Amino acid sequence: MQLLEISDLVVDHDPGTRERLPVRRGDVVARLTAAGDRSGARIAAGLACDDAGHLDPLAVDRRLVAVHTELQRLSEELRLGDRIAELLGPLLAVIRAAGSADGPLRVVDVGCGLGYLVRWLAASGVLGPDVDLVGVDFNAALVREAERLARAEGLPCRFVRGDAFALDEPATVYVSTGVLHHFRGSDLDAFFAAQATRGTAAFCHFDIAATGLAPIGAWVFHRARMRDPLGRHDGVMSARRAHDDDTLLTAAAHADGLVPLMYEPRGRSNPFCTTLRPVIGVRPELLSPLRAALGPGPSGRLVGRADAEAAVRREASAGGGAG
Ligand SMILES: C[S@@+](CC[C@H](N)C(=O)[O-])C[C@H]1O[C@@H](n2cnc3c(N)ncnc32)[C@H](O)[C@@H]1O
């Protein structure tokens, strides 16, 4: 059975202009039906559409904002802000110390949705005042709501509608939460390849850990805490679509010039506790300082492929530098 999320099917953009394109409800229902997903097809069949059978874009946007608002509970429950800050803090410290950033330090949240992560980082101030916090999403309705929420709290962060990898100003660090499983196969490779840009020192992408327990945990959480059937459907699907560590490390190797690593890979983590964990990429010269900054416990949970790590060590000893 092909695993599909309804929220991926109900919005379409022109790949060149990024203009919103009309979506036929019948096409969405047909795709879910062909995938053997009868409950998904039923939910899609209930979405509002016009006489020509096109989904009402305003109703779709309202629904997606509502679902993402519920989804924020998951980020709060999993203490996502704290967990990312625990890694981003040391990472930015070593980037600052190495003078690796061209211009101001900029953290870009790829596919920020309602911007929970960026708003959390801005509200806590934990990364320091010299860090420009930017959330980027293709979806205009989500970006508008993220801006509204940030403005209501007077938070020092900003949101941009568009492609996170096509910003005028380079990201020092790309981050994301719950985005990776939306990309499959060569699209996942391309997601990482796009990060090998001028100025990028690192990436840190959190997504659902592909454990046997993940779909069960997601089902229980979404039953207990989410009301919207679309959100419940997609939440459980997300867990079923989660990439395993090997897939992520292989794809992350497409980010040229950045060493791919998993934090809390399977085998080094408790599947009852590890719900989300990041794949990380760093410039080779930052790896050794990052391990030192994290300290022995967290550093031991940061694991790369033996060959990639050995190459970094060889290069460092040949150059006499840190690695
Ligand atoms: C499931 S949402 C994740 C929302 C959010 N990160 C959260 O945790 O609630 C995935 C989002 O990624 C966005 N997206 C994917 N690739 C992107 C890119 N290159 N630039 C901007 N947005 C992107 C999509 O528009 C979609 O809204």
Side-chain angles (χ1 to χ4, degrees), residues 4-87:
L4 300 171
E5 285 175 64
I6 301 168
S7 50
D8 282 344
L9 305 178
V10 293
V11 180
D12 196 13
H13 294 107
D14 181 289
T17 63
R18 286 282 152 211
E19 282 304 306
R20 183 98 171 242
L21 299 173
V23 175
R24 293 182 59 78
R25 184 175 71 182
D27 294 344
V28 177
V29 173
R31 282 196 65 188
L32 289 158
T33 306
D37 184 349
R38 276 190 299 175
S39 71
R42 242 191 335 268
I43 295 165
L47 297 173
C49 69
D50 64 16
D51 293 343
H54 293 122
L55 289 174
D56 173 352
L58 287 179
V60 166
D61 285 349
R62 269 198 302 275
R63 190 76 178 264
L64 290 183
V65 168
V67 165
H68 279 78
T69 304
E70 285 197 347
L71 196 60
Q72 184 165 304
R73 294 181 195 152
L74 183 60
S75 305
E76 287 163 0
E77 210 101 11
L78 298 176
R79 294 178 46 250
L80 207 51
D82 289 296
R83 296 196 52 211
I84 294 183
E86 274 162 27
L87 291 170

Side-chain angles (χ1 to χ4, degrees), residues 68 71 110-113 136-138 142 162-165 177-179 182-183:
H68 279 78
L71 196 60
V110 184
C112 64
V136 190
D137 205 294
F138 287 135
L142 297 179
D163 184 349
F165 302 125
T177 58
V179 170
H182 290 274
F183 295 94

Side-chain angles (χ1 to χ4, degrees), residues 19-321:
E19 282 304 306
R20 183 98 171 242
L21 299 173
V23 175
R24 293 182 59 78
R25 184 175 71 182
D27 294 344
V28 177
V29 173
R31 282 196 65 188
L32 289 158
T33 306
D37 184 349
R38 276 190 299 175
S39 71
R42 242 191 335 268
I43 295 165
L47 297 173
C49 69
D50 64 16
D51 293 343
H54 293 122
L55 289 174
D56 173 352
L58 287 179
V60 166
D61 285 349
R62 269 198 302 275
R63 190 76 178 264
L64 290 183
V65 168
V67 165
H68 279 78
T69 304
E70 285 197 347
L71 196 60
Q72 184 165 304
R73 294 181 195 152
L74 183 60
S75 305
E76 287 163 0
E77 210 101 11
L78 298 176
R79 294 178 46 250
L80 207 51
D82 289 296
R83 296 196 52 211
I84 294 183
E86 274 162 27
L87 291 170
L88 274 187
L91 188 54
L92 287 165
V94 301
I95 293 170
R96 269 188 206 99
S100 298
D102 307 334
L105 294 173
R106 183 167 296 110
V107 171
V108 171
D109 184 6
V110 184
C112 64
L114 298 185
Y116 173 79
L117 172 63
V118 165
R119 289 185 285 110
W120 189 96
L121 291 170
S124 69
V126 69
L127 299 181
D130 61 335
V131 179
D132 185 18
L133 296 166
V134 189
V136 190
D137 205 294
F138 287 135
N139 188 307
L142 297 179
V143 168
R144 268 196 307 274
E145 180 65 1
E147 269 169 349
R148 188 187 71 77
L149 293 167
R151 238 189 350 260
E153 286 193 70
L155 298 174
C157 58
R158 59 201 172 94
F159 294 94
V160 177
R161 188 229 157 178
D163 184 349
F165 302 125
L167 298 174
D168 292 338
E169 302 152 314
T172 317
V173 183
Y174 284 109
V175 298
S176 73
T177 58
V179 170
L180 294 177
H181 65 271
H182 290 274
F183 295 94
R184 327 292 300 174
S186 61
D187 288 343
L188 187 64
D189 297 344
F191 177 89
F192 285 103
Q195 298 175 58
T197 60
R198 69 222 144 98
T200 304
F203 60 74
C204 180
H205 297 292
F206 272 78
D207 204 3
I208 305 158
T211 63
L213 288 172
I216 303 164
W219 187 86
V220 171
F221 179 87
H222 285 82
R223 280 273 130 194
R225 304 284 274 125
M226 309 281 275
R227 275 190 294 269
D228 190 309
L230 194 157
R232 285 179 167 180
H233 173 277
D234 283 8
V236 175
M237 247 346 146
S238 303
R240 294 179 66 191
R241 299 171 89 201
H243 295 300
D244 61 35
D245 296 352
D246 206 44
T247 302
L248 289 178
L249 278 176
T250 303
H254 286 81
D256 266 355
L258 300 169
V259 186
L261 304 137
M262 284 305 299
Y263 192 67
E264 297 187 332
R266 263 192 107 171
R268 298 230 186 165
S269 60
N270 179 343
F272 288 96
C273 302
T274 307
T275 43
L276 291 128
R277 45 81 183 104
V279 58
I280 293 174
V282 288
R283 285 193 192 158
E285 69 274 16
L286 298 176
L287 182 52
S288 179
L290 175 62
R291 286 196 180 287
L294 285 171
S299 173
R301 296 197 280 275
L302 188 60
V303 181
R305 289 218 165 115
D307 51 348
E309 291 227 40
V312 172
R313 279 194 297 275
R314 267 199 311 278
E315 214 166 287
S317 57

